[in-house]
Amino acid sequence: MSTEAAPVIAKAITQTNSLVAKLWNYCNVLRDNGLSTIEYVEQLSYLLFLKMADELADDPFAREAAAPIVPPALDWKSLVSKRGEELEAHYRKVLTELGKRPGTTLGTIFAKAQNRITEPALLEKLVVDLIGKTDWVLEGTDLKGDAYEGLLAKGAEDTKTGAGQYFTPRPLIDAIVQVMQPRPNDRITDPACGTAGFLIAAHSYIRQHHLKDLSREQRLALGQGSIWGNELVPGTARLAAMNMLLHGIGEADGSSLITTGDALADAPSHRASLVLANPPFGKKSAITVVGTDGKTDREDISYDRSDFRATTTNKQLNFLQHIMSLLEMDGRAAVVLPDNVLFEGGAGEKIRRRLLQEFDLHTILRLPTGIFYAGGVKANVLFFDKRPPRADDVPNTSEVWVYDFRTGMHFTLKQHPLRLADLADFIEAYKPDDRSARKETEDGRFKCFTYDELIARDKVNLDITWLKDPALDDADSMLAPDVIAQEIVEDLQAALAEFEAIAEALGGEVKPDITAEEAIAEA
């Protein structure tokens, strides 16, 4: 980093942190009014959009001769002209009316919007003192985007609402994007985008590494359709759309880059050259899947997917099959998936055999526990490319490199959170510029397995371990009691998730939302 750039970066970080702190302080005020963090961010999204649309409407250079994004009777000026109960009533009307524009960014952000701020005085404080006193368009894309994402990260810590399931740790996203190296001509998607972290990081990477080389058409495509996502939950989709808009992706009155719905319901309508995804955790879906094997697993919703080779109600296995279909030829993917995808028999084995045969599954990153907000998650990142069939039925995967970032690695969300620097050795070992230059590392964490070795394993089990935790042999390296306790909770939660899946498969009832701590207390 140059000496000239350092002060600029430091100032930007300070400004971002200051803005996050300011936004967070208002969240504390509204929490006393009964709002959760995510509900606050949701309300903030509505108001930020209206304020930014107002700033753009007043900028003669931004939208020459264009119709206003928001009708005058529903715009920011119509809000700030009112006070008290009149303001609260008008705000409810604005939310209702702006949600009636499906297919647009405006419609995605305001879909089924409701006012959660029941105290008119608090709403007025938010409108006048917080949003109204800042020029959000002039603040710059990086500042306002990073501030909003910082708020989403804080919202993910609100475990009671389950918001963390939509949030992938940013250091993990950045490491994945660094090794995948998105390109200007890529068509990039995430079929379970949450708050759009992967899409924003990919866009940022292209801007950082290719901005000077982009043609006008490529620059326009970056914000108008070459990057898109899907999210099942409308409330999360609105956060994703707003997050992308604040990062300079998409247009307020243009077609929405975030679609809302069940990604697994239909075969992909168009393909992507790069898929980055962390499908939702949880083993079972309420579905009926009809695969090409002719079998049917019955639940509530029917998925008639002729492109699925195996029938299963395992949500992650179906997402893996969906992403296989979503990739264009020579497309590449990086997908976060739980351990059961690597070892589950039946449909799982069938899908893994297809993955090794028809795709080049070249890398698996074994992730440590303690990095996700959802408890009990043991996950991996699968990196694979789609390849055309080879002569004589030769498999497209010749070898799989596995990086064990789990054994002996201990993270917690607060005391010892994951940092990008923790993944530096993996990024180096991955060799994103030339994978043929890979070598097994001296610490033994990066190991190569041939196709023949993998296909000979029982049920083509790809859940491979070979390292031993040094803490098991060295008393001096024992972990702190709180870390040990947290890891026990993580293991119990993972075990509970597996038992729940078994109970569901056998037709039994599962107690909803039980935590490991509650299970221990009941026992």
Side-chain angles (χ1 to χ4, degrees), residues 205-511:
Y205 183 93
I206 294 171
R207 284 182 56 208
Q208 182 180 348
H209 291 85
H210 301 286
L211 188 60
K212 294 180 180 178
D213 304 321
L214 292 179
S215 66
R216 182 178 181 276
E217 290 74 19
Q218 286 175 322
R219 290 186 188 220
L220 289 173
L222 271 180
Q224 297 179 4
S226 67
I227 299 177
W228 75 96
N230 180 83
E231 170 54 41
L232 175 64
V233 181
T236 308
R238 88 170 89 255
L239 300 181
M242 192 68 200
N243 200 11
M244 289 180 70
L245 195 63
L246 288 169
H247 281 88
I249 313 172
E251 296 179 350
D253 54 348
S255 298
S256 179
L257 301 180
I258 303 295
T259 55
T260 306
D262 190 345
L264 300 177
D266 299 297
S269 58
H270 51 293
R271 302 294 191 269
S273 62
L274 177 59
V275 177
L276 306 168
N278 178 9
F281 298 130
K283 197 152 185 267
K284 193 105 167 179
S285 294
I287 59 173
T288 296
V289 175
V290 183
T292 55
D293 55 9
K295 296 180 181 178
T296 300
D297 272 357
R298 292 203 173 275
E299 293 290 327
D300 295 333
I301 306 170
S302 178
Y303 290 169
D304 189 2
R305 293 288 300 266
S306 59
D307 54 326
F308 282 7
R309 305 285 183 84
T311 298
T312 176
T313 53
N314 182 312
K315 189 160 46 179
Q316 282 80 32
L317 286 173
N318 280 327
F319 260 108
L320 179 54
Q321 292 192 92
H322 178 70
I323 291 167
M324 289 174 167
S325 294
L326 191 54
L327 278 179
E328 66 181 30
M329 197 57 68
D330 293 321
R332 54 210 198 281
V335 189
V336 181
L337 293 164
D339 281 8
N340 70 76
V341 169
L342 299 184
F343 63 73
E344 189 170 300
E349 178 184 351
K350 187 172 184 177
I351 293 168
R352 288 191 297 277
R353 287 184 181 276
R354 181 191 172 204
L355 187 61
L356 293 172
Q357 178 70 33
E358 299 180 19
F359 296 75
D360 179 9
L361 174 65
H362 51 80
T363 314
I364 297 175
L365 170 62
R366 290 172 53 80
L367 295 174
T369 58
I371 66 172
F372 294 102
Y373 290 98
V377 172
K378 291 186 176 180
N380 315 266
V381 187
L382 273 59
F383 299 85
F384 56 92
D385 302 338
K386 189 170 188 175
R387 299 291 187 220
R390 299 174 66 182
D392 300 323
D393 206 31
V394 175
N396 277 315
T397 299
S398 58
E399 57 187 27
V400 179
W401 287 78
V402 183
Y403 192 98
D404 188 344
F405 187 53
R406 183 182 302 176
T407 304
M409 306 299 289
H410 306 280
F411 296 94
T412 59
L413 292 174
K414 294 184 178 180
Q415 283 77 20
H416 186 205
L418 178 70
R419 309 288 184 193
L420 181 58
D422 297 316
L423 287 155
D425 289 342
F426 164 70
I427 295 171
E428 171 59 28
Y430 187 102
K431 302 294 182 190
D433 293 321
D434 181 12
R435 295 205 306 263
S436 67
R438 288 177 171 180
K439 296 179 180 178
E440 295 190 353
T441 55
E442 292 183 5
D443 60 6
R445 289 196 178 275
F446 203 34
K447 191 172 177 63
C448 181
F449 298 87
T450 66
Y451 171 83
D452 290 336
E453 288 177 300
L454 297 174
I455 209 72
R457 290 171 60 88
D458 182 43
K459 298 178 183 177
V460 195
N461 186 339
L462 301 181
D463 185 28
I464 306 170
T465 59
W466 64 92
L467 294 178
K468 190 173 183 180
D469 193 332
L472 299 177
D473 294 326
D474 185 1
D476 293 334
S477 65
M478 285 296 289
L479 301 171
D482 62 321
V483 176
I484 294 174
Q486 180 59 38
E487 293 196 353
I488 291 173
V489 170
E490 294 272 355
D491 287 339
L492 284 170
Q493 288 173 326
L496 279 172
E498 292 297 323
F499 281 128
E500 286 175 3
I502 293 171
E504 287 179 348
L506 295 174
E509 292 187 5
V510 179
K511 183 175 180 180

